Amino acid sequence: MELLSPSEMADADRLAIAETMTAGQLLERAGRAVADAASRWPFNTPILVLCGTGLNGGDGFVAARILRERGYRVRLGMIGLVSSLGGEVAYAAEQWGSPIEDAFTLTLSREGIVIDALLGAGLSRDITGPLAGLIERVNVSGLHVIAVDLPSGIDGNNGQIRGVAIKAQETVTFFRRKPGHLLVPGKVNCGALRVADIGISESVLETIKPKTFANQPVLWRQHFPHLMPEGHKYARGHLVVLSAGIEGTGAARLAARAGLRAGAGLVTVASPSDALPIHAAALDAIMVRRCDGLEGLAAILEDKRRNAFVIGPALPPDEETRSRVDMALGASRAVVIDAGALTAFAAERIRFIATLRAAKGAVVLTPHEGEFERVFEDISSKHASKLERARAASEATGAVVLLKGADTVIAAPDGRAAINANAPPTLATAGSGDVLSGLIGGLLAQAMPAFDAACAGVWLHGEAANQFGVGLTADDLPGMLPTALAGLIKT
């Protein structure tokens, strides 16, 4: 589940070389893993290996040699001069021992595969000039591309395209994935991803101490609430979802149903008087309580057993919503803040951050990119990386920040972060975010720690959508949660 930045992966290589193997052995194993991926193709398949002058290129030289030994027709093109190579890369080029073409002027075949070993994951500048032209030629060629470590042009830290990038059909990386493998657009450019074991011991992670993870159950399972034989509904928490008025009631019901499916013992929709009949007619196991204005919320907060709140779905971004958030944050409750409750603070960012930092209970913020930019404009302007934006916002607010999207990032104030990878595109539908907020609220009601609850909620949200398949609407998600939960228990 650990994700390593390019610098952390370099540390892993260094530690492995110091403890268990030589640099040459490491290069040989990485190149062999690439050759194994290409060896799934028939022997008459022409293979073009494009190499750079760094370690990534060294992997390419090794892969080219092994594929030739296995009987494949292999051409090798290189950017830069052979005389510029050093160390193990120079040795790998010598072992290749066959002609090396100029990568910038070679002719691409009309069939076969390309192995992209041009650049490594630690790219720190935009690609321009002849190299950009070469990458664009590969992309329009229609050839199947296997990328080594990361498609050339993808930043391993943040998944961003640095000028131009290879569009690979598959990628072979080593030991651990990097953030750039899971963050869009890197995730898209990688194609099918395979992590190869090249003999690096997992013990190196004890020295590196990574703080970025793939969002998988192993990350949070130990904190997931389990039903106890002696348990009762009051022991499983009481979630309250604040409802909008008569024209926006559906969002609250979606969140409430998800919270109940997530295991909260009781769930209440706190509704303005005008919307009470609508909720009462549509809800059975979920309770409905009148909540008009701040006085109504104050009355609900008097019962300490109501320990978790979802505030925001369909609420107007106005002063009353801001006051509701302030009241809940000061009442020692776990709070999920979403949608209108986030946008309400767009013009009062400093006050919002101060209020969050003073909160007496767990807080999870669930913005999509637009909401994030409105509330954290200064952070958005400083950080291109989605991972770093979420981390910076979490550090600033003291809250868990869940920055939504196809590559949702969950960040905690202590620097931990997780990137989600199981969300299908069918989740891009109205009301999906309301379900997610309720899911997290239901887990918080059961006293699951905020970071773990947010990670678990995002994963279950994606798993429920995957179980349903195409044609998904937000209304379908709560009903699929039992299937997702059952799968979680079995694994």
Side-chain angles (χ1 to χ4, degrees):
M1 64 178 175
E2 302 88 358
L3 302 177
L4 301 184
S5 68
S7 63
E8 288 172 332
M9 187 62 216
D11 288 341
D13 289 344
R14 176 180 54 79
L15 290 166
I17 291 169
E19 296 174 5
T20 59
M21 68 184 77
T22 66
Q25 288 172 327
L26 199 63
L27 198 71
E28 181 75 15
R29 292 176 183 183
R32 187 170 297 278
V34 176
D36 289 344
S39 294
R40 296 196 302 271
W41 291 72
F43 281 118
N44 62 348
T45 302
I47 298 175
L48 171 63
V49 183
L50 298 175
C51 294
T53 56
L55 290 173
N56 200 253
D59 298 336
F61 278 112
V62 172
R65 188 199 80 230
I66 293 172
L67 287 166
R68 183 187 60 196
E69 291 170 354
R70 292 177 179 177
Y72 284 91
R73 294 181 289 147
V74 184
R75 296 165 57 203
L76 192 147
M78 179 180 166
I79 58 173
L81 301 173
V82 175
S83 59
S84 68
L85 301 178
E88 301 302 330
V89 179
Y91 180 74
E94 182 181 337
Q95 292 296 105
W96 161 247
S98 292
I100 297 175
E101 301 180 54
D102 181 347
F104 296 130
T105 60
L106 57 73
T107 301
L108 295 176
S109 301
R110 295 187 178 183
E111 59 179 355
I113 64 175
V114 174
I115 293 177
D116 163 31
L118 291 168
L119 302 172
L123 183 65
S124 59
R125 58 180 174 79
D126 286 353
I127 296 173
T128 58
L131 181 53
L134 172 61
I135 289 174
E136 289 170 347
R137 283 201 294 138
V138 172
N139 286 342
V140 300
S141 70
L143 297 172
H144 185 96
V145 178
I146 301 174
V148 178
D149 198 16
L150 264 168
S152 293
I154 296 295
D155 190 319
N157 284 305
N158 55 41
Q160 295 298 301
I161 294 174
R162 302 302 302 264
V164 64
I166 288 285
K167 296 177 182 176
Q169 283 67 53
E170 54 185 304
T171 297
V172 180
T173 193
F174 316 109
F175 183 54
R176 289 295 188 273
R177 292 172 290 179
K178 298 172 182 65
H181 289 125
L182 300 187
L183 292 168
V184 174
K187 175 181 178 179
V188 177
N189 279 53
C190 284
L193 178 64
R194 185 169 75 90
V195 182
D197 179 1
I198 56 173
I200 299 176
S201 171
E202 294 194 1
S203 65
V204 303
L205 298 173
E206 298 172 9
T207 301
I208 296 169
K209 294 181 172 58
K211 300 190 81 172
T212 307
F213 306 93
N215 185 26
Q216 300 168 186
V218 66
L219 180 64
W220 39 262
R221 187 196 302 275
Q222 63 177 326
H223 298 296
F224 196 82
H226 297 286
L227 300 181
M228 304 300 291
E230 70 277 16
H232 52 82
K233 62 185 178 183
Y234 293 105
R236 294 169 63 184
H238 189 159
L239 173 65
V240 177
V241 180
L242 300 192
S243 173
I246 194 168
E247 294 183 353
T249 62
R253 288 196 298 279
L254 286 169
R257 288 184 175 121
L260 194 64
R261 290 290 192 185
L266 302 96
V267 178
T268 293
V269 170
S271 170
S273 294
D274 66 345
L276 273 174
I278 298 173
H279 288 306
L283 298 173
D284 294 313
I286 294 166
M287 297 177 287
V288 180
R289 182 181 174 92
R290 181 178 285 104
C291 181
D292 290 317
L294 298 181
E295 298 81 4
L297 179 56
I300 286 174
L301 286 166
E302 288 176 1
D303 188 340
K304 300 296 185 183
R305 294 175 298 181
R306 296 177 179 132
N307 64 326
F309 283 71
V310 172
I311 306 177
L315 291 181
D318 58 16
E319 177 58 36
E320 181 172 320
T321 296
R322 287 194 292 273
S323 297
R324 287 181 168 191
V325 171
D326 291 342
M327 187 178 292
L329 291 176
S332 299
R333 304 305 208 277
V335 184
V336 179
I337 304 175
D338 186 24
L342 289 167
T343 303
F345 287 94
E348 297 194 22
R349 302 183 188 100
I350 295 176
R351 178 166 82 83
F352 186 41
I353 290 174
T355 304
L356 288 167
R357 294 198 68 85
K360 298 179 180 179
V363 183
V364 178
L365 311 180
T366 60
H368 55 58
E369 288 282 6
E371 291 161 347
F372 187 94
E373 187 169 350
R374 286 192 287 271
V375 180
F376 299 107
E377 182 180 12
D378 55 337
I379 291 174
S380 289
S381 65
K382 292 177 183 177
H383 299 281
S385 165
K386 184 172 187 175
L387 182 61
E388 293 312 312
R389 290 199 303 276
R391 274 195 165 117
S394 183
E395 181 181 3
T397 61
V400 170
V401 173
L402 190 159
L403 184 48
K404 294 185 288 195
D407 52 356
T408 292
V409 173
I410 308 101
D414 63 7
R416 286 177 298 159
I419 304 172
N420 196 63
N422 77 335
T426 51
L427 280 172
T429 184
S432 173
D434 304 323
V435 173
L436 177 59
S437 292
L439 229 175
I440 297 168
L443 295 172
L444 289 173
Q446 298 168 82
M448 193 173 185
F451 178 71
D452 302 279
C455 290
V458 170
W459 188 88
L460 287 166
H461 193 238
E463 185 64 14
N466 284 317
Q467 291 291 338
F468 187 89
V470 296
L472 176 78
T473 68
D475 305 83
D476 301 314
L477 287 168
M480 294 307 300
L481 285 172
T483 304
L485 288 163
L488 174 64
I489 292 170
K490 289 177 182 177
T491 57

